[in-house]
Amino acid sequence: MGDSVSIVVPTLNEAGNVGRLIEELATNLKGIDYEIIIVDDGSTDGTTKVAEEAARGLGVNLKVIERGRRLGLSSAVIDGVRASRGNVIVVMDADLQHPPSVVPKLIEAVSNGADVAIASRYVKGGGIAGDWPILRRVISWGAATLAHILIPSARGIKDPVSGFFAFKKSVMCLNRPYGDYKILLDILALCRVGSVVEVPYVFRTREAGSSKLGARQIVNYVKQLVSITVNLLAISKYRPLKFATVGVIGLFVSELVLHAFWRILGLPYFISLIPALEAGIVNNFTLNKVWTFRDRSVGYLVGLGKYHVASLVGTAVNYAVTNLLHYVLGVNGYVAYVIGVIFGFLANYIMAEVYVFKYRGVVVNNTIASTQGPEAY
Ligand code: GDD
Ligand code: MN
């Protein structure tokens, strides 16, 4: 394993944990060329002093970056990467909730070719120690679900919001964070990541100090998703807006075909609707294939078949929402229909994104170590 490794550890008042962290890393990384980079945001409990003493006593290469005030977890990682000499970067918390015994597995996965190796709570063999508050579990699940909806490259990954991961330094493309807390998401969304491996681990109970995750970080997380989505809109060349434009063009095509069968050929209205609907589907699939989702490869006939399924789902959602609003909530029929069309459009778009023109950009292997349980680390 010829790689040199930099372990970036953001700290904020972790004097009670950082000494043991360095000890446990030294025990688990024997024979590996590594350095530890502490990026401290104005700790007032002597965190950096404790770290320097522990590293000196163990002969561990330690770099300490003192930033003086709270600039955020994500920007701490970016500054740590900037100061690193390793070609493999590991990011982990100082509070021992991320077991140092998993670090060799992450390094091994990257050395074996993965662009990113994620210590994952949500793959087979992973988990969360008993007393993590329910609210935190809900927040974590909600964060991962939002990430899966908004960020295509996070879709196949079970724990895209993990704070414990390793990556090839060459993958890092960010010079600024998009949020406070989830730098992994920024990397997955905005950098060129080809292959991801998930390694199971059990997120431990914090033993000393307290979590710094507060309402501000949660608000910032939503802002981060918006900021990444806006960026993705630009990167994806405004895909959802193109999808809507195709939908409007499809409407005109359907009307023309309806007119041809109903008024020119004189067929009954309910019969004329069938070629009109079909023309709309063929038009929309074709334009979305060559324009909106040009970067996604899908066979024309297979894709067209899937697009019919997606259109059925969209129509069903439109129909259900319209009736629910009108009959159950008493919303005006015309208003209910417009809202139903919007929901139908969203359902159509999500189906196009995740089913018809499925993103295949990242190869995710979240089985690599699932044969071994966390006890193996
Ligand atoms: N430099 C710096 N600046 N460090 C920070 C900051 C900051 O603003 N906020 C927190 N830290 C450090 C803490 O000292 C700790 O080492 C680590 O970042 C995680 O902080 P916690 O406050 O313990 O976060 P958590 O345990 O609630 O959540 C963690 O685990 C989740 C699951 O993996 C974080 O890593 C989350 O990002 C992660 O999703
Ligand atoms: Mn923690």
Side-chain angles (χ1 to χ4, degrees), residues 77-95:
V77 171
I78 290 178
D79 286 352
V81 175
R82 268 202 197 110
S84 66
R85 67 173 172 78
N87 61 307
V88 175
I89 306 287
V90 177
V91 175
M92 68 188 299
D93 296 353
D95 57 6

Side-chain angles (χ1 to χ4, degrees), residues 18 165 310 376-377:
V18 72
F165 56 96
Y377 304 123

Side-chain angles (χ1 to χ4, degrees), residues 43-95:
S43 291
T44 51
D45 64 354
T47 296
T48 54
K49 289 277 161 296
V50 171
E52 281 157 352
E53 274 157 30
R56 203 175 307 114
L58 292 158
V60 167
N61 286 329
L62 175 72
K63 271 180 199 152
V64 175
I65 300 173
E66 308 232 30
R67 303 200 304 173
R69 60 193 177 84
R70 185 164 190 181
L71 298 174
L73 189 53
S74 295
S75 73
V77 171
I78 290 178
D79 286 352
V81 175
R82 268 202 197 110
S84 66
R85 67 173 172 78
N87 61 307
V88 175
I89 306 287
V90 177
V91 175
M92 68 188 299
D93 296 353
D95 57 6

Side-chain angles (χ1 to χ4, degrees), residues 126-175:
I128 296 175
D131 66 346
W132 209 40
I134 289 288
L135 178 63
R136 283 301 311 271
R137 292 168 190 262
V138 169
I139 292 170
S140 174
W141 178 83
T145 307
L146 260 178
H148 286 146
I149 292 172
L150 292 173
I151 299 173
S153 50
R155 251 167 231 152
I157 296 166
K158 300 272 191 289
D159 194 357
V161 291
S162 174
F164 186 15
F165 56 96
F167 57 94
K168 280 182 195 137
K169 187 168 170 179
S170 55
V171 162
M172 185 50 143
C173 68
L174 302 169
N175 49 28

Side-chain angles (χ1 to χ4, degrees), residues 231-252:
N231 266 277
L232 283 174
L233 273 177
I235 293 172
S236 70
K237 301 191 177 37
Y238 299 94
R239 209 190 298 280
L241 305 186
K242 285 180 181 171
F243 191 80
T245 308
V246 167
V248 171
I249 296 168
L251 214 54
F252 283 109

Side-chain angles (χ1 to χ4, degrees), residues 232-281:
L232 283 174
L233 273 177
I235 293 172
S236 70
K237 301 191 177 37
Y238 299 94
R239 209 190 298 280
L241 305 186
K242 285 180 181 171
F243 191 80
T245 308
V246 167
V248 171
I249 296 168
L251 214 54
F252 283 109
V253 169
S254 299
E255 292 284 5
L256 281 176
V257 171
L258 176 65
H259 180 74
F261 279 81
W262 185 31
R263 289 295 186 219
I264 300 172
L265 297 178
L267 291 177
Y269 184 73
F270 73 96
I271 299 281
S272 309
L273 273 180
I274 297 167
L277 283 168
E278 186 52 31
I281 289 174

Side-chain angles (χ1 to χ4, degrees), residues 19-33:
R20 230 185 86 204
L21 172 79
I22 293 173
E23 275 166 35
E24 289 196 26
L25 283 171
T27 310
N28 284 281
L29 295 177
K30 283 194 177 31
I32 292 176
D33 168 18

